[in-house]
Amino acid sequence: MVVPSSSHSSDQSTSPEGPNGSSHFDHAYLHDSLSPSPSTPSHPRKKYIIGVCAMDDKARSKPMRNILDRLLNNGPFEAIIFGDKCILDEDVRNWPACDFLISFFSKGFPLHKAIDYVKLRTPFCVNEVDLQTLLWDRRLVLEILDQIGVPTPKRLTMDRDGGPSIDERVRQKLKLRGVNLVERRPTPEFKIIDQDTIQIGNETIVKPFVEKPVSGEDHNIHIYYHSSAGGGARRLFRKVANKSSEYDPDLNTPRTGGSYLYEEFMDVDNAEDVKVYTIGEHFVHAETRKSPVVDGLVRRNTDGKEIRYVTQLTPEERKMAASICKAFGQRVCGFDLLRVNGKSYVIDVNGWSFVKGNNYYYNNCAAILQETFLRNAHQRKLSEIVFPKELSAESSWRLKAFVSVFRHADRTPKQKMKFSFSSAPFRELLNGGGEEVIIRQARDLKLVSAAAEQAMQEGLEDTNKLMLLKNILDKKSNLPGTKVQVKPTITKDDDGNSKSVKLKIIVKWGGEFTHAAKYQSRDLGHNLRKDLMILNKHALDDVKIFTSSERRVRATAELFTQRFLDLREVPKDMLLIRKEMLDDSNAAKEKTDAVKKELQNLLQPEHAKDIEMYWPKDHEDPGKLVEDVIESMRTLRQIMRKNYENLDVSALQKTWCCLESPALFFERWEKIFGEFADGDRSDFDPSKVSELYDSLKYDALHNRPFLENIFVDKDSDRGLGPIKELYTKAKILFDFISPLEYGISEADRLEIGLLTSFPLLKQIVEDLEAAKRSASPCTRLYFTKESHVHTLLNIVYLSGIPTRLNKSEIPELDYLTQITFELYERSGPGTPINSPITSLQSPQSPEYSLRIGFSPGAGNPNILDLQMDSKHCLSVMPRRNLTDHLPLEAALKYYKTQVGNPKYRSVNRLIRESRMLGHKLVVANEGEEDALIHDEAPLMMVGSPIVPSGVETHLANGHSHSNSPTK
């Protein structure tokens, strides 16, 4: 429970030097004798500077953005994100000045530099930076907890490193808080008395006990169980996907290398841990979660966050929280608490920790920090201090251009069904001609449905096939992606006269924008707006957004733009369609077809050795995996058919989103099963894996209740085991096959990449070079489809540019995958690390740095384990850095070296020959659109669970129409 207090914003410091947490705060900048003294302005300063000195993945995280957004909107503040480039590469003397500092350690963060910066500039620190070194050693954390009266589990300590070390400044701070720590200590004798007992020095501890490395950054913790309970141990580790621990029956002996804590194992109440979060000494929030020792499985929601529940703290627990916050000097702090038989114990202190996805917490955190900052600003008379220009944000590294490529948002599976008819009602669809007819418009598709109805009434064709065709068209005719191809085959007699006409009816539908896509697109636009507002709000003054001509891509771009630019309606001339850059062309078709054929051969039994160089080493043999998938499909088909016969399938799921039904579900899966289960290993077609995987993910999101019933054998105790096993194996195959469809060899990947994405790549480079020349920052966004994202990423990797992630580490590129190019500029003088400052340097030419990043989009590798909500929507995963910061010209050299290769000089010619160039505006419902855009109907989203005929239509002018309620 969150417990605010009327006095929650008190900023009485835990630091001995004063309320600022440092000394001489009115003359902070005099500590650097070469920096100019602060001056008194003629008018009081209106804005105070909040500096965020943390690694970008933390400083630009969603919780941080939410808190900073509230601070900037509700108070007289500006924010400076120091950024990885500044933090890692610059001397602290070049770090920007700030009034208030948010700084905390995470992996890769140089805490020693932050400590030096605080000594040099003495800003007000939300969390005392030097005291964060205590959190690196669990021994120190627990000893401090003991001395401030916070209960901890009984423990023994095995020091093999001579004990912890403490900085003298930190030691003195702790002494003033009544904490005296022992540093160096002798190494005690360690004995294993029997299989369940160890002795350290003169003390013993009996299993079950918990073995923890003394390093707070080492999360490889073991819980050893007593032999009477079966022995073995559970290995705990940082969460990986949906696992946080695993049981090892053969692990019985404690580790003998390194220093460890041995804690009494505590059987917690309700099998739950408690995570506690403070904001100062008078505000605390607590949540329970399933203990990782239960089964090691992490329950997550659609945001990918662990499922937790708010809990009320007892008065004693709130007192413990205040004591921890004060003793460790961490206003924003998290710690772990166990409740055992009505008593509470703290087992770890984590330092800076956010509550995720909780607006009440964000509101209170921003309000408390704002009041704390303003009180401190008044005490220090900050409005009278002006920072030297050399230490301003404008003179530090700052975002100059943000360029990003996006894949479209969630869609329904693409589907196709074939029928053969010859009766008169269907022949009439040819209108007396003998050529193929393509029917797209809803009114015309109803004629096909009417033909099926007539044929049923007259008994002219197979009734089951006619009912299926009619069911598809009745459900899908109003969707703009639905079309029917009528292909006649005319048999003639010896005189050349028509003897008979057979018709092949091909119905295609799917690929439509879902209701989940609506939420994803808007949420991503909103979050990116917050990100850029903090990094450099002027990047939003010059925005250009480009999209391909496909409906789902345009719909993604439109809904994203509404939130990104805070618009009620998107102007007609804002989204620019660039077919020649963002649509698929046939330029790479011949090459990709050859690659797919090669891939199919590679997965045949006779090529088992050839595939070894590409197959992930930690997975079972590919041949065995394919055979397992085929067998799983046969088993699940039998289960599905039996359940359709024996169950009332209409009652398994109350509502169906995306205009689905039990009958359409059955036909979709029958088709997929047939493509796998009706053949053997030699018939396996890798191109069908994406269809299987796509349907599994789609139904796990949008048809979960039905999926969890129709694929469960009621006569077996395996439950969801078979469908989960199929999902796991299908994902392994998909993750292997999908990237290779764009090239198996490096030469093929580069050629296909350039043939597909060369115009887009050229435009990105032009954007970056134009931004360098421009006086103002800008944003350029490109919305496209999966093929362009895959091929662009391949070009990045094959350019030779140094990357932080191996290509094999790149996960599935899901909906709303992003590839970002961030250009940073520094206009002021810079001082390399270890270079002395001899004088205030004169202005020099701006410097430019480029960093490439990506997000794998809205996905989750354990989708069947997620707890779904009514939105059926996965959140977009945070961006990761593909590269470190590189000088712009050096980064572009990699690109220019590849595209300048004489081998690829014909790329432009091939692209020009294979597509019609276009550069048009998105204009919905205008007469010329048929010639302008393929799939020309208005932008449409399939609604969330609704009545069968309902559909929500979103037009490019921002208006929407719905002929039925949506949930």
Side-chain angles (χ1 to χ4, degrees):
M1 179 179 180
V2 182
V3 188
S5 166
S6 59
S7 60
H8 59 228
S9 61
S10 171
D11 64 347
Q12 293 304 308
S13 174
T14 59
S15 168
E17 288 87 351
N20 174 35
S22 57
S23 60
H24 309 297
F25 51 77
D26 284 329
H27 301 284
Y29 295 90
L30 297 183
H31 283 280
D32 183 354
S33 60
L34 297 176
S35 295
S37 301
S39 59
T40 302
S42 55
H43 300 287
R45 186 152 56 104
K46 295 181 179 179
K47 296 275 189 178
Y48 302 114
I49 308 299
I50 301 171
V52 182
C53 180
M55 300 303 287
D56 273 350
D57 60 338
K58 302 294 183 182
R60 294 169 61 179
S61 66
K62 194 171 182 178
M64 182 66 83
R65 287 200 306 267
N66 272 290
I67 294 168
L68 289 179
D69 184 61
R70 287 162 168 78
L71 281 166
L72 302 188
N73 288 333
N74 299 317
F77 304 111
E78 292 180 356
I80 299 175
I81 305 294
F82 283 29
D84 290 354
K85 174 67 175 172
C86 174
I87 293 170
L88 298 176
D89 295 345
E90 294 296 327
D91 188 283
V92 296
R93 289 170 291 182
N94 292 326
W95 289 11
C98 64
D99 299 299
F100 312 108
L101 183 69
I102 296 173
S103 184
F104 53 92
F105 175 81
S106 64
K107 184 177 179 180
F109 181 73
L111 186 61
H112 65 283
K113 292 181 71 174
I115 294 171
D116 289 343
Y117 172 80
V118 171
K119 290 178 181 177
L120 179 68
R121 304 296 181 209
T122 59
F124 175 89
C125 294
V126 175
N127 284 14
E128 292 185 57
V129 179
D130 51 359
L131 291 187
Q132 292 177 36
T133 57
L134 296 169
L135 305 177
W136 289 347
D137 196 309
R138 288 190 172 97
R139 292 170 295 190
L140 297 176
V141 169
L142 292 171
E143 287 174 23
I144 292 172
L145 292 174
D146 291 341
Q147 293 197 33
I148 63 175
V150 173
T152 62
K154 175 188 172 183
R155 70 185 181 276
L156 300 182
T157 303
M158 183 60 210
D159 296 309
R160 294 187 176 96
D161 60 356
S165 60
I166 309 169
D167 178 80
E168 184 58 31
R169 178 182 172 91
V170 172
R171 177 193 298 281
Q172 293 303 320
K173 282 189 175 184
L174 290 175
K175 279 186 176 180
L176 291 172
R177 298 169 204 199
V179 175
N180 292 282
L181 298 177
V182 177
E183 284 187 83
R184 313 313 294 179
R185 52 190 82 167
T187 300
E189 184 179 7
F190 179 88
K191 290 182 181 179
I192 297 178
I193 304 299
D194 57 41
Q195 62 180 337
D196 294 318
T197 310
I198 63 171
Q199 179 176 322
I200 299 176
N202 297 321
E203 298 182 86
T204 60
I205 188 169
V206 180
K207 295 179 181 177
F209 54 69
V210 184
E211 179 186 63
K212 296 181 179 179
V214 296
S215 170
E217 294 302 298
D218 188 342
H219 296 267
N220 296 299
I221 295 170
H222 296 171
I223 301 174
Y224 297 95
Y225 298 108
H226 198 278
S227 58
S228 63
R234 180 166 288 277
R235 301 176 190 268
L236 277 63
F237 41 78
R238 275 198 183 277
K239 292 187 281 284
V240 178
N242 69 331
K243 291 189 68 175
S244 60
S245 71
E246 59 186 8
Y247 176 71
D248 184 346
D250 300 320
L251 182 60
N252 291 291
T253 305
R255 288 168 281 191
T256 56
S259 298
Y260 295 94
L261 296 168
Y262 293 89
E263 290 181 351
E264 176 186 8
F265 177 76
M266 312 192 87
D267 192 8
V268 297
D269 299 343
N270 302 317
E272 292 178 330
D273 291 349
V274 182
K275 307 289 286 188
V276 183
Y277 304 87
T278 70
I279 312 171
E281 298 175 32
H282 304 282
F283 182 99
V284 64
H285 173 93
E287 298 176 343
T288 61
R289 65 164 187 177
K290 184 179 74 171
S291 172
V293 308
V294 176
D295 57 13
L297 297 179
V298 181
R299 296 179 298 176
R300 297 184 184 274
N301 59 23
T302 52
D303 288 330
K305 303 295 187 295
E306 186 176 28
I307 294 173
R308 298 178 179 180
Y309 301 95
V310 174
T311 186
Q312 182 176 0
L313 294 182
T314 66
E316 181 63 27
E317 289 169 338
R318 291 197 295 271
K319 182 180 177 183
M320 290 159 58
S323 298
I324 290 170
C325 179
K326 182 175 182 180
F328 287 89
Q330 310 296 299
R331 283 181 175 82
V332 179
C333 185
F335 63 90
D336 302 329
L337 181 145
L338 303 180
R339 289 169 170 167
V340 183
N341 297 325
K343 189 172 181 181
S344 299
Y345 302 85
V346 174
I347 58 171
D348 203 3
V349 177
N350 306 310
W352 186 283
S353 298
F354 289 120
V355 178
K356 300 177 178 66
N358 188 308
N359 284 323
Y360 183 65
Y361 171 85
Y362 296 150
N363 291 336
N364 278 278
C365 187
I368 293 170
L369 290 180
Q370 175 175 321
E371 189 168 348
T372 302
F373 290 163
L374 292 178
R375 179 172 299 179
N376 183 264
H378 175 73
Q379 291 173 347
R380 298 166 63 194
K381 300 179 181 179
L382 292 181
S383 62
E384 300 177 7
I385 297 176
V386 175
F387 297 136
K389 182 179 179 182
E390 292 80 7
L391 300 176
S392 68
E394 289 73 17
S395 297
S396 185
W397 288 102
R398 203 156 192 216
L399 183 72
K400 183 64 179 294
F402 183 86
V403 181
S404 188
V405 179
F406 301 86
R407 185 187 174 190
H408 60 77
D410 186 48
R411 61 160 173 80
T412 61
K414 295 180 182 179
Q415 297 181 70
K416 178 169 66 174
M417 197 71 70
K418 296 180 180 179
F419 303 89
S420 292
F421 300 122
S422 58
S423 55
F426 290 101
R427 292 200 302 270
E428 290 175 4
L429 297 174
L430 296 174
N431 294 322
E435 301 296 325
E436 177 182 348
V437 174
I438 298 178
I439 303 171
R440 295 177 181 271
Q441 299 300 322
R443 61 179 180 274
D444 298 327
L445 291 169
K446 293 187 187 327
L447 298 176
V448 184
S449 179
E453 176 72 26
Q454 182 183 346
M456 270 194 292
Q457 292 175 356
E458 299 179 11
L460 302 176
E461 305 280 0
D462 184 307
T463 300
N464 290 331
K465 292 182 179 179
L466 292 170
M467 288 182 66
L468 176 58
L469 174 61
K470 188 175 186 304
N471 189 20
I472 293 171
L473 293 174
D474 288 348
K475 289 278 189 182
K476 305 294 183 178
S477 288
N478 288 326
L479 299 179
T482 304
K483 69 178 180 180
V484 171
Q485 295 170 257
V486 184
K487 294 184 175 182
T489 302
I490 301 175
T491 305
K492 297 186 178 182
D493 58 22
D494 295 338
D495 298 326
N497 299 317
S498 297
K499 181 179 179 182
S500 64
V501 178
K502 290 185 177 180
L503 300 171
K504 183 178 285 186
I505 308 292
I506 304 173
V507 188
K508 294 181 179 180
W509 73 97
E512 298 300 333
F513 208 61
T514 69
H515 60 103
K518 174 175 63 175
Y519 296 115
Q520 289 171 341
S521 303
R522 289 174 173 168
D523 188 55
L524 181 60
H526 184 62
N527 287 327
L528 183 57
R529 176 180 178 82
K530 287 182 179 178
D531 194 24
L532 297 190
M533 284 290 289
I534 293 168
L535 287 177
N536 189 346
K537 63 183 178 181
H538 298 296
L540 294 170
D541 296 338
D542 179 6
V543 177
K544 289 184 180 178
I545 301 174
F546 304 89
T547 174
S548 82
S549 62
E550 290 192 345
R551 284 186 319 279
R552 57 182 172 269
V553 181
R554 290 156 44 210
T556 301
E558 182 183 331
L559 289 169
F560 172 95
T561 302
Q562 283 182 331
R563 291 295 180 87
F564 180 63
L565 295 179
D566 197 20
L567 301 171
R568 295 191 64 182
E569 295 183 1
V570 178
K572 290 183 177 181
D573 60 350
M574 177 159 285
L575 303 183
L576 303 173
I577 285 188
R578 292 292 298 271
K579 295 178 68 173
E580 83 287 0
M581 185 167 62
L582 299 169
D583 276 20
D584 269 344
S585 75
N586 292 320
K589 186 177 187 307
E590 182 179 344
K591 193 69 181 175
T592 53
D593 286 347
V595 166
K596 289 179 181 179
K597 186 175 181 180
E598 183 182 353
L599 186 56
Q600 184 168 8
N601 292 333
L602 196 61
L603 283 162
Q604 296 307 313
E606 60 268 24
H607 295 286
K609 289 199 174 293
D610 298 332
I611 201 174
E612 288 180 359
M613 63 184 297
Y614 305 107
W615 189 255
K617 290 181 172 54
D618 55 343
H619 293 309
E620 66 176 298
D621 173 76
K624 177 70 166 56
L625 188 65
V626 169
E627 290 171 0
D628 288 348
V629 167
I630 293 172
E631 190 58 38
S632 293
M633 297 287 273
R634 290 170 180 162
T635 300
L636 285 164
R637 180 167 63 177
Q638 291 175 350
I639 294 173
M640 183 184 77
R641 287 174 175 175
K642 184 171 73 171
N643 284 333
Y644 265 88
E645 289 177 3
N646 299 331
L647 301 178
D648 179 6
V649 294
S650 63
L652 296 181
Q653 183 167 297
K654 292 182 179 179
T655 53
W656 288 78
C657 62
C658 307
L659 305 183
E660 283 268 289
S661 70
L664 291 179
F665 182 101
F666 181 85
E667 292 302 329
R668 171 159 57 87
W669 275 101
E670 274 291 315
K671 178 176 178 292
I672 296 171
F673 283 138
E675 290 168 342
F676 287 86
D678 290 343
D680 55 26
R681 165 76 188 280
S682 61
D683 300 315
F684 176 72
D685 183 356
S687 67
K688 301 298 182 182
V689 170
S690 62
E691 185 180 355
L692 166 62
Y693 182 62
D694 198 23
S695 277
L696 284 167
K697 287 203 310 177
Y698 173 77
D699 288 324
L701 280 176
H702 299 287
N703 299 317
R704 177 69 70 82
F706 200 82
L707 182 84
E708 291 182 343
N709 280 278
I710 209 66
F711 289 127
V712 172
D713 186 352
K714 308 303 179 183
D715 299 324
S716 167
D717 60 357
R718 296 196 63 197
L720 293 172
I723 192 66
K724 286 189 173 184
E725 288 172 10
L726 176 61
Y727 171 80
T728 300
K729 295 177 188 298
K731 177 164 177 57
I732 293 171
L733 281 174
F734 177 84
D735 288 344
F736 171 72
I737 291 168
S738 180
L740 293 183
E741 288 184 326
Y742 300 95
I744 298 174
S745 69
E746 288 191 358
D748 286 346
R749 289 202 297 274
L750 184 57
E751 185 173 353
I752 292 172
L754 292 174
L755 287 170
T756 304
S757 294
F758 186 62
L760 174 58
L761 183 62
K762 283 182 63 180
Q763 184 61 55
I764 290 170
V765 172
E766 289 176 13
D767 290 341
L768 295 171
E769 291 182 329
K772 177 183 175 182
R773 296 189 298 268
S774 174
S776 56
C778 65
T779 299
R780 300 290 183 264
L781 307 176
Y782 299 88
F783 290 84
T784 184
K785 59 190 301 184
E786 182 182 11
S787 58
H788 281 63
V789 175
H790 268 286
T791 51
L792 181 61
L793 194 61
N794 281 341
I795 294 173
V796 169
Y797 270 92
L798 294 170
S799 69
I801 196 169
T803 56
R804 301 180 66 174
L805 297 173
N806 292 326
K807 184 65 164 63
S808 60
E809 298 178 73
I810 299 295
E812 171 191 351
L813 304 185
D814 220 314
Y815 301 120
L816 288 175
T817 288
Q818 308 153 58
I819 303 175
T820 59
F821 301 82
E822 294 181 347
L823 179 65
Y824 288 82
E825 178 185 63
R826 180 171 63 177
S827 57
T831 305
I833 293 177
N834 299 325
S835 296
I837 299 180
T838 57
S839 63
L840 287 178
Q841 301 172 22
S842 58
Q844 62 183 32
S845 298
E847 299 174 82
Y848 296 92
S849 176
L850 179 69
R851 182 173 64 182
I852 304 174
F854 98 110
S855 163
N860 189 292
N862 303 287
I863 194 169
L864 284 169
D865 295 320
L866 298 183
Q867 182 170 304
M868 302 305 302
D869 58 21
S870 60
K871 293 181 180 180
H872 299 171
C873 176
L874 296 178
S875 292
V876 175
M877 288 179 272
R879 288 192 300 274
R880 302 170 65 185
N881 297 325
L882 277 182
T883 70
D884 291 319
H885 281 274
L886 293 170
L888 177 63
E889 292 305 318
L892 295 186
K893 267 185 186 178
Y894 291 101
Y895 148 78
K896 292 174 180 176
T897 299
Q898 285 291 4
V899 300
N901 189 325
K903 180 179 178 180
Y904 302 111
R905 285 178 181 169
S906 60
V907 166
N908 269 326
R909 175 181 57 79
L910 289 171
I911 293 173
R912 284 195 300 270
E913 291 174 354
S914 65
R915 69 167 96 214
M916 179 181 69
L917 296 179
H919 185 180
K920 301 288 185 178
L921 304 179
V922 174
V923 184
N925 300 325
E926 292 194 4
E928 69 270 17
E929 185 140 352
D930 284 357
L932 172 64
I933 307 174
H934 69 274
D935 293 342
E936 63 280 352
L939 305 183
M940 184 170 282
M941 278 171 293
V942 183
S944 52
I946 53 177
V947 295
S949 62
V951 65
E952 184 182 357
T953 307
H954 286 247
L955 306 178
N957 60 12
H959 296 295
S960 64
H961 170 71
S962 176
N963 61 10
S964 73
T966 62
K967 77 175 181 181

